[in-house]
Amino acid sequence: TGCCDSSECSSSKDLLSRTCVTNTFCATSECIQHHSYHSFLNVCCFLHHVKALGASPTVAGIVGSTYGILQLFSSTIVGSWSDVVGRRYSLLTCLLLSALGYSLLGMSTSIALFVLARIPVGLFKHSLSICRALLSDLVSESERPLVMGHFNAASSVGFILGPVVGGYLTEHEGGFYTSSFTCAAIFLLNAGLVWMLPWSETLLHCNGTNSSSNLSKDCHDNNLKRSIHNGSHTSNSHHRPGPRWREVSLLQPAWRQLCSVGSKILMVAYSDMWDLFLVRLLMAVAIMLYYSNFSLAMEERFLLKPKVTGYLISYSSTLGALAGFLVGPVTQVYENHMPALLLHSTVLTCSLIFLYAAAPSVWQVVLTSTFFAISTTIGRTCITDLELQRGGVQASGTLIGAGQSVTAVGRVLAPLLSGLAQEFSPCGPPSLGVVLALAAVGLLFIRIPKWDGRGKTKMRE
């Protein structure tokens, strides 16, 4: 796609490969700390650690929810900011401030310092989202599902390795502090990798099929738009065919950055994308309900030991990682008709949640887990791709950040709904998940006839 020489193509591939490496480290780092928190919660060590710092149970609960609340509100803002100042500077800022947050967490000797350490992490730990936005800028629209699938596979590797490393560290004395400093070191390593990426040498592909921008521009203008929104600064008088990224200064006036961020967020807020975001929310909550009491349900329904349940979860996670490589071939089978693929993957996910809730034996659970990992991976890639097609790559950071904020709302709702559903039955949470997934399927049946092949609402004549 596009006209490039061998050195330019190799430079672009180098950036893509290094971005995936950075993404794997990011996912591993995040999952190490994520797993260490869950390990502490499971054995009450986390609560003991916070209480040892002088916090009451209520304060401990507030501290635990601080991160999720900050992520909810910061995802869209940081994503939009990356559209304004460029991926490189925003990614470096997020990585360095995340490293600072985990370093402070490792040195926390009081509840005030502990809370302070959670603030930069909650506000700026969006490295994976910015990496997704970066990849959407680098590839053409037809290649995006394939690359995003590989990206999700790379991040899944991190989420497989993370619990292993996190579990090992937390078994030793001072494991909480060790895991915190390990995360800080990995984030610093990520920042070094980002700094070494060949930003100024990367060729932007010129693909006539990439028409996701809402403006009808030619290939020259499309590439110029992409270079500007990826932290480049190229004047028309010096622009030549075969556009490349060029460095820009981050030192724009703060008010100008804020105005640009606000305008992009308002553009998404007032866009006709409510249906995609609602489908994302419904399916996110349904999937979280599937996993919410998985271990407890396996023990109560099938007398399965936690160790065996852990093997089953690892098996599903591994399949989820491998499923990332299936996204490209599957989209080719569907001829890149993402609305149809999203509908079919949503129907399959809904059916699998129902089969899990009604499973008479553990082998049926194994079977549903096998296909569930594949269908959810494809569904997540579809919804992200449709959001980018609908909103345009010129605001990819804002769109991906908004999607993460919607998912964060699901993380707030899912535990509450799961607790209420478990009052009736161990199968209550997945049964409620079936209802929500059916609502998503019904919404897609209503809305897809109003979309074109690229997920945009058809214009009325």
Side-chain angles (χ1 to χ4, degrees):
T1 58
C3 46
C4 64
D5 55 33
S6 59
S7 61
E8 290 169 336
C9 289
S10 62
S11 178
S12 180
K13 291 179 180 178
D14 186 25
L15 180 54
L16 285 169
S17 61
R18 292 194 192 185
T19 302
C20 284
V21 171
T22 302
N23 162 63
T24 303
F25 277 114
C26 288
T28 304
S29 175
E30 292 180 13
C31 200
I32 287 173
Q33 192 64 28
H34 178 74
H35 179 76
S36 67
Y37 279 135
H38 279 273
S39 297
F40 284 139
L41 285 169
N42 289 337
V43 297
C44 299
C45 289
F46 175 69
L47 184 59
H48 175 75
H49 175 76
V50 177
K51 284 185 176 180
L53 297 177
S56 64
T58 302
V59 173
I62 294 174
V63 171
S65 63
T66 300
Y67 172 79
I69 295 173
L70 291 174
Q71 287 270 298
L72 171 62
F73 292 102
S74 64
S75 295
T76 306
I77 296 174
V78 173
S80 180
W81 184 61
S82 73
D83 289 331
V84 174
V85 302
R87 310 296 182 217
R88 183 186 193 185
Y89 295 112
S90 57
L91 190 54
L92 281 172
T93 301
C94 288
L95 291 172
L96 292 175
L97 289 178
S98 296
L100 173 64
Y102 281 119
S103 298
L104 291 174
L105 198 65
M107 296 184 293
S108 60
T109 55
S110 66
I111 189 64
L113 186 58
F114 191 93
V115 174
L116 180 64
R118 299 302 289 159
I119 293 176
V121 176
L123 289 176
F124 292 100
K125 200 173 78 171
H126 300 290
S127 49
L128 295 182
S129 297
I130 297 178
C131 284
R132 287 189 177 93
L134 170 60
L135 290 179
S136 71
D137 300 330
L138 285 171
V139 299
S140 65
E141 192 173 282
S142 60
E143 296 172 326
R144 189 166 56 209
L146 173 64
V147 174
M148 286 297 183
H150 291 175
F151 179 90
N152 292 334
S155 63
S156 297
V157 171
F159 283 100
I160 293 172
L161 295 177
V164 177
V165 179
Y168 174 78
L169 292 176
T170 53
E171 285 183 355
H172 297 77
E173 184 178 356
F176 179 85
Y177 299 104
T178 304
S179 64
S180 297
F181 284 120
T182 301
C183 288
I186 294 177
F187 273 106
L188 289 175
L189 176 61
N190 290 335
L193 288 173
V194 171
W195 183 262
M196 292 187 297
L197 292 176
W199 301 89
S200 61
E201 302 176 1
T202 302
L203 175 69
L204 288 173
H205 292 294
C206 175
N207 191 319
T209 61
N210 191 352
S211 56
S212 58
S213 172
N214 293 328
L215 302 176
S216 298
K217 298 286 188 178
D218 57 17
C219 187
H220 173 276
D221 292 336
N222 189 36
N223 278 315
L224 178 59
K225 175 183 285 289
R226 284 191 179 190
S227 65
I228 290 173
H229 284 279
N230 282 281
S232 61
H233 182 71
T234 308
S235 62
N236 291 333
S237 59
H238 295 89
H239 186 71
R240 298 175 299 175
R244 296 169 182 270
W245 286 358
R246 301 184 187 277
E247 299 298 330
V248 294
S249 174
L250 182 62
L251 302 177
Q252 302 178 32
W255 64 268
R256 185 177 298 174
Q257 294 185 29
L258 289 175
C259 290
S260 299
V261 168
S263 65
K264 288 181 177 294
I265 293 176
L266 288 176
M267 178 191 70
V268 173
Y270 289 101
S271 65
D272 187 25
M273 296 181 63
W274 63 269
D275 45 6
L276 286 176
F277 287 131
L278 183 55
V279 169
R280 175 185 279 272
L281 177 62
L282 291 172
M283 291 308 299
V285 176
I287 293 170
M288 291 174 194
L289 289 173
Y290 175 92
Y291 287 114
S292 61
N293 70 330
F294 190 83
S295 298
L296 180 62
M298 289 297 97
E299 183 178 356
E300 292 186 2
R301 295 172 61 188
F302 307 111
L303 302 178
L304 214 61
K305 295 181 179 180
K307 182 179 180 180
V308 179
T309 304
Y311 289 148
L312 182 57
I313 294 174
S314 297
Y315 165 74
S316 179
S317 300
T318 304
L319 286 179
L322 296 176
F325 297 102
L326 295 176
V327 174
V330 171
T331 54
Q332 290 178 0
V333 171
Y334 278 78
E335 297 180 347
N336 286 326
H337 195 276
M338 302 306 288
L341 181 55
L342 176 62
L343 174 62
H344 294 165
S345 65
T346 304
V347 171
L348 178 59
T349 301
C350 178
S351 302
L352 292 172
I353 297 176
F354 173 76
L355 290 175
Y356 161 70
S361 67
V362 68
W363 294 110
Q364 185 169 325
V365 175
V366 174
L367 181 63
T368 57
S369 297
T370 300
F371 293 100
F372 188 77
I374 298 173
S375 66
T376 53
T377 298
I378 294 175
R380 282 194 299 267
T381 305
C382 285
I383 198 72
T384 300
D385 191 75
L386 283 171
E387 288 168 356
L388 293 173
Q389 288 184 14
R390 180 83 67 87
V393 293
Q394 73 273 16
S396 57
T398 308
L399 293 167
I400 292 175
Q404 293 301 312
S405 293
V406 171
T407 304
V409 174
R411 293 193 186 100
V412 175
L413 295 177
L416 174 63
L417 296 176
S418 176
L420 293 174
Q422 287 183 70
E423 294 289 341
F424 300 95
S425 168
C427 298
S431 300
L432 181 58
V434 173
V435 175
L436 296 178
L438 279 174
V441 171
L443 179 60
L444 288 174
F445 269 117
I446 295 173
R447 294 296 297 176
I448 284 181
K450 300 180 181 180
W451 298 349
D452 59 16
R454 297 170 57 249
K456 294 185 177 182
T457 304
K458 295 178 181 178
M459 298 296 294
R460 295 181 178 178
E461 297 183 0

